[in-house]
Amino acid sequence: MSTYAFIFARGNSKGLPGKNIKLLGGKPLLAHSICVAQQVPGIDKIFVSTDSAEIAAVAEAFQATVIMRPDELATDTASEWLAWRHAIETLQAQGDSFDVFVSLPATSPLRNVGDVQQCMASLDEQSDVVVTVTPASRSPYFNMVVRDEEGASQLVCSGSQVSRRQDAPVVYDMTTVAYVARPEFIMSNERIFSGRVKSVVIPRERAVDIDDIYDFKLAEMFLESKDTVHVGK
């Protein structure tokens, strides 16, 4: 089977302007995803979908193929699912078909090759999509609330009788480490949870999702810590 990796990186990020080409550990954020994809056995081609000429230049410098995305698919309100479809449609129009779609968002630079391999291996006949998750720090059964305009609050799972966190069901946060699906599922459905979803658990230190400068600083800290351990060995 042919497997293509895609990195979706728009140029007008509001949370951290220019984040997709901001240097992290000496190379652009975007390049971390490209470099991991290049090391994963079974990934045949790597594409970067973007609306930005600057991002496109960085992608090409790291040997990824660029798919230019229309401006209307690169706004704050645009669904990334539609950007996924656009990338698939662009390749299909060129006569380039493939079997497995892998999205490796630029905002998760701390993933490793093994994480991606595990996600790819988890896509089977009983699943349509594989996502990544990490243990949540809070639970809707115990210490997550909803509130109204007057401040009246109640548990998200308001019928829960859990009195200790240890007794609550284990819950997870979705991460952006990787998404794996078949192109035909993406083209015939409207969202991830339209299908049968499997998840792969990623340790929190590799699941940082960069949205703002605080996330970026956290990623820098984990990256520096990993480099220090490697040097120490």
Side-chain angles (χ1 to χ4, degrees), residues 26-44:
K27 63 185 177 185
L29 182 64
L30 169 70
H32 290 268
S33 293
I34 296 173
C35 291
V36 165
Q38 289 168 340
Q39 299 174 61
V40 176
I43 288 182
D44 301 292

Side-chain angles (χ1 to χ4, degrees), residues 3-182:
T3 299
Y4 289 1
F6 297 84
I7 300 148
F8 296 86
R10 60 190 182 92
N12 57 345
S13 170
K14 297 296 190 293
L16 181 60
K19 71 178 177 184
N20 287 313
I21 54 175
K22 185 176 175 64
L23 293 182
L24 175 68
K27 63 185 177 185
L29 182 64
L30 169 70
H32 290 268
S33 293
I34 296 173
C35 291
V36 165
Q38 289 168 340
Q39 299 174 61
V40 176
I43 288 182
D44 301 292
K45 295 183 182 180
I46 303 167
F47 300 88
V48 171
S49 166
T50 187
D51 62 315
S52 163
E54 285 185 292
I55 291 174
V58 171
E60 289 174 342
F62 283 86
Q63 287 78 55
T65 301
V66 172
I67 296 173
M68 292 308 297
R69 195 190 319 177
D71 290 342
E72 63 268 22
L73 296 182
T75 66
D76 286 338
T77 57
S79 166
E80 184 152 315
W81 190 263
L82 296 181
W84 288 11
R85 284 186 171 184
H86 173 262
I88 294 168
E89 288 170 344
T90 298
L91 295 182
Q92 289 177 341
Q94 298 171 0
D96 192 353
S97 61
F98 60 101
D99 301 299
V100 179
F101 170 101
V102 179
S103 172
L104 301 175
T107 54
S108 285
L110 303 182
R111 70 171 70 80
N112 62 29
V113 170
D115 296 331
V116 182
Q117 287 179 301
Q118 188 176 0
C119 291
M120 289 166 57
S122 296
L123 186 68
D124 55 24
E125 294 301 321
Q126 285 72 50
S127 58
D128 296 306
V129 186
V130 176
V131 301
T132 51
V133 298
T134 197
S137 59
R138 295 189 178 276
S139 170
Y141 296 92
F142 183 68
N143 58 1
M144 291 183 68
V145 302
V146 291
R147 63 193 300 275
D148 63 21
E149 293 179 357
E150 283 71 44
S153 305
Q154 63 179 359
L155 282 172
V156 174
C157 295
S158 57
S160 172
Q161 301 300 312
V162 174
S163 58
R164 300 189 314 151
R165 178 177 170 80
Q166 295 90 331
D167 297 329
V170 178
V171 294
Y172 297 87
D173 291 324
M174 282 188 66
T175 76
T176 58
V177 170
Y179 302 88
V180 181
R182 296 179 184 85

